[in-house]
Amino acid sequence: SQKIEQNSEALNIQEGKTATLTCNYTNYSPAYLQWYRQDPGRGPVFLLLIRENEKEKRKERLKVTFDTTLKQSLFHITASQPADSATYLCALVRLNDMRFGAGTRLTVKP
Amino acid sequence: GAGVSQSPSNKVTEKGKDVELRCDPISGHTALYWYRQSLGQGLEFLIYFQGNSAPDKSGLPSDRFSAERTGGSVSTLTIQRTQQEDSAVYLCASSLALRTRNTEAFFGQGTRLTVV
């Protein structure tokens, strides 16, 4: 069966460091992959999208990589800030099928 | 409206009662999704609507769950004979068809359902 795994339920880092979150999947061939941010009591908000034929995508302090051989995406936040503290979800999309990982809760300490 | 709207924002119901959750998607969005999120968990896919096509109901956990989308816009998720394990946040999302490969999903704030 399809499986989407995100590394560790929680990740704590110091302000200014780079946060790296992992999304691994099995038994799935996504056309593209998305990352979302979710704050407590709110719905997820879209951050970045990367297609199957792209290796890397950047947006301001965010960087996403996508390795379809390893079946893995890495999500980086550089120069992290306490305001980056939230849960980050990866979503795999094929045609109109969109499935989410369980998320990683990131805490950036000042 | 400006975004995806869900109502009610909170719903407390007694075990065995039926509930209806409503989702107003962004105007013009043809795709609509329902997900369920239990405390501290990820998003569990429930059902997907795309235009006038038959919905993908593969995620509905039991026949107590059903959903419809009228006129390609507003959607209602109905849970019959609610059980305590149905307690969760129910999230709705809409998008232009994701198959276009350059779109994102927009989520509502969710409906927090508590079955007592």
Side-chain angles (χ1 to χ4, degrees):
Chain A
S1 61
Q2 299 167 356
K3 200 171 184 180
I4 304 170
E5 290 183 328
Q6 293 191 238
N7 68 317
S8 68
E9 290 185 8
L11 180 65
N12 299 315
I13 64 168
Q14 207 66 36
E15 181 177 10
K17 301 293 186 183
T18 296
T20 299
L21 285 66
T22 305
C23 177
N24 294 294
Y25 59 93
T26 56
N27 298 324
Y28 205 82
S29 298
Y32 59 97
L33 187 147
Q34 301 176 332
W35 283 89
Y36 288 78
R37 167 181 173 145
Q38 186 175 26
D39 291 285
R42 310 292 294 267
V45 174
F46 172 81
L47 295 175
L48 275 174
L49 175 158
I50 186 165
R51 298 180 181 83
E52 59 184 339
N53 60 351
E54 296 177 320
K55 295 293 185 186
E56 183 178 297
K57 209 74 169 290
R58 291 175 185 262
K59 179 182 177 183
E60 298 173 351
R61 294 185 295 110
L62 308 180
K63 185 178 84 171
V64 174
T65 63
F66 193 12
D67 188 325
T68 55
T69 300
L70 291 178
K71 297 186 182 297
Q72 180 181 79
S73 174
L74 299 179
F75 177 78
H76 306 273
I77 306 175
T78 58
S80 60
Q81 305 166 0
D84 295 327
S85 298
T87 295
Y88 292 85
L89 302 158
C90 67
L92 274 60
V93 182
R94 180 165 183 81
L95 298 179
N96 287 303
D97 185 82
M98 183 168 64
R99 306 297 169 118
F100 285 82
T104 296
R105 188 174 67 253
L106 173 68
T107 302
V108 181
K109 299 182 179 179
Chain B
V4 177
S5 176
Q6 290 187 246
S7 60
S9 54
N10 280 285
K11 176 71 176 179
V12 179
T13 189
E14 291 182 352
K15 178 181 173 181
K17 299 285 189 183
D18 298 352
V19 295
E20 282 190 355
L21 312 180
R22 177 187 168 104
C23 173
D24 274 284
I26 292 173
S27 177
H29 280 189
T30 56
L32 188 147
Y33 299 79
W34 282 98
Y35 292 88
R36 177 168 70 174
Q37 187 172 35
S38 300
L39 187 63
Q41 302 298 309
L43 275 66
E44 175 189 4
F45 169 77
L46 296 178
I47 189 169
Y48 158 71
F49 295 90
Q50 170 57 51
N52 295 321
S53 302
D56 176 356
K57 303 180 182 180
S58 61
L60 294 178
S62 78
D63 57 9
R64 295 187 296 105
F65 288 72
S66 64
E68 62 177 22
R69 188 178 184 191
T70 54
S73 181
V74 172
S75 177
T76 302
L77 176 69
T78 301
I79 308 174
Q80 296 178 312
R81 305 182 301 281
T82 51
Q83 303 294 314
Q84 288 186 327
E85 61 262 30
D86 299 335
S87 297
V89 175
Y90 289 82
L91 289 160
C92 172
S94 74
S95 74
L96 297 171
L98 292 179
R99 67 174 66 231
T100 63
R101 296 193 172 202
N102 61 354
T103 63
E104 66 208 68
F106 294 82
F107 282 82
Q109 299 279 57
T111 293
R112 180 175 298 279
L113 175 66
T114 304
V115 182
V116 297

